[in-house]
């Protein structure tokens, strides 16, 4: 089984709808991250959490919210989806060593019409 | 501001050696990582440099010069399966990464 899983893998929604993307991990890591990827723009950090009680905004948090339900679960919500949130979304985890090793989930392709 | 610069595309032939450069300007710096991504799949970790010098892992090596805010990824004995996007990323807050925009490597027969 994969260490980091994301659901759904693909989603089409309409402008104004609320949508939640879920991430689960079995690596036992405290740190979790949400990124979005747009063509030619690399990965940009939306939110990150260094433990269950710690939530921090990344560089592009506007329009998004997150919930850290447990050490293993980190959800990303779009309260009112808009077309420019169409992107590939990745969840990632890392351990406490502070090194640059993050483990990514398979991604969620989101299309907002 | 914070920025990382890397070439957008590189092309090389099978069996050759290719170097992908990365320069960075960030408010904090703990180390430089490299990731590989195939066709929109999950990025996978390749290497990490916290100190100046060369790190070697099989066919891949990574170099860092902190004084020059510069690093590179060196891929030797290129194979077709190495065709992918490669991202450098600065670790600027104990595990939080800032990614470059990626370099698309095409390996030709």
């Amino acid at each position: 089984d994969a260490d980091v899983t994301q659901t759904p893998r693909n989603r089409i929604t309409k402008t104004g709808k609320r949508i939640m993307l879920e991430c689960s991990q079995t690596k036992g890591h405290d740190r979790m991250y949400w990124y979005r990827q747009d063509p030619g723009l690399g990965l940009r950090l939306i939110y990150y959490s260094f433990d269950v009680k710690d939530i921090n905004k990344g560089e592009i948090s506007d329009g998004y919210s997150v919930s850290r339900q447990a050490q293993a679960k980190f959800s990303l919500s779009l309260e009112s989806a808009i077309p420019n949130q169409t992107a590939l979304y990745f969840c990632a985890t890392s351990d406490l060593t502070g090194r640059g090793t993050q483990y990514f989930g398979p991604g969620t392709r989101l299309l907002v019409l | 501001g914070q920025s990382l610069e890397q070439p957008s595309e590189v092309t090389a032939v099978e069996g050759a050696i290719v170097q992908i450069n990365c320069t960075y300007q960030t408010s904090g710096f703990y180390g430089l990582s490299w990731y590989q991504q195939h066709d929109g799949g999950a990025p996978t970790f390749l290497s990490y440099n916290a100190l100046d010098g060369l790190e070697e892992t099989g066919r891949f090596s990574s170099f860092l010069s902190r004084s020059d805010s510069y690093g590179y990824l060196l891929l030797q004995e290129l194979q077709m399966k190495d065709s992918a996007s490669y991202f450098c990323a600065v670790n600027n807050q104990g595990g939080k990464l800032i990614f470059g925009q990626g370099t698309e490597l095409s390996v030709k027969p």
Side-chain angles (χ1 to χ4, degrees), chain A residues 18-110:
Chain A
R18 183 180 187 275
I19 182 171
M20 179 181 287
L21 309 183
E22 299 188 356
C23 177
S24 295
Q25 53 111 349
T26 58
K27 299 191 73 68
H29 290 165
D30 284 320
R31 300 180 174 188
M32 299 187 73
Y33 312 81
W34 275 104
Y35 293 93
R36 69 175 276 175
Q37 185 174 31
D38 299 277
L41 292 180
L43 291 147
R44 292 184 292 168
L45 184 63
I46 307 172
Y47 271 95
Y48 63 101
S49 170
F50 280 0
D51 66 42
V52 175
K53 296 181 180 179
D54 175 76
I55 302 289
N56 303 282
K57 292 182 178 180
E59 60 180 307
I60 54 162
S61 60
D62 287 350
Y64 301 95
S65 62
V66 291
S67 173
R68 186 80 185 266
Q69 301 95 325
Q71 185 203 40
K73 295 184 182 297
F74 193 35
S75 300
L76 176 72
S77 293
L78 288 68
E79 295 301 326
S80 180
I82 56 177
N84 77 0
Q85 291 178 312
T86 293
L88 181 55
Y89 291 85
F90 287 103
C91 172
T93 74
S94 69
D95 63 21
L96 295 177
T97 64
R99 289 172 56 88
T101 309
Q102 293 188 5
Y103 300 86
F104 284 79
T108 295
R109 290 192 178 276
L110 176 65

Side-chain angles (χ1 to χ4, degrees), chain B:
Chain B
Q2 305 192 98
S3 66
L4 288 86
E5 297 288 335
Q6 52 181 126
S8 58
E9 297 179 344
V10 173
T11 301
V13 296
E14 206 170 6
I17 299 172
V18 71
Q19 179 174 311
I20 299 174
N21 298 320
C22 176
T23 58
Y24 58 88
Q25 184 176 18
T26 58
S27 58
F29 183 86
Y30 288 77
L32 187 70
S33 302
W34 290 91
Y35 284 78
Q36 180 190 60
Q37 184 184 36
H38 283 100
D39 296 328
T44 56
F45 171 79
L46 292 176
S47 69
Y48 179 70
N49 295 71
L51 302 175
D52 287 359
L54 193 67
E55 294 280 344
E56 297 180 77
T57 308
R59 295 187 297 113
F60 294 0
S61 302
S62 58
F63 172 83
L64 175 65
S65 168
R66 295 176 67 125
S67 61
D68 294 322
S69 298
Y70 164 75
Y72 66 71
L73 179 69
L74 191 73
L75 297 82
Q76 303 181 73
E77 301 173 14
L78 280 174
Q79 302 175 8
M80 298 298 291
K81 67 179 182 180
D82 296 329
S83 292
S85 292
Y86 293 84
F87 296 88
C88 59
V90 166
N91 176 352
N92 84 331
Q93 187 183 322
K96 179 169 161 254
L97 297 179
I98 300 172
F99 283 82
Q101 295 185 8
T103 298
E104 186 174 349
L105 171 64
S106 296
V107 180
K108 307 294 185 184

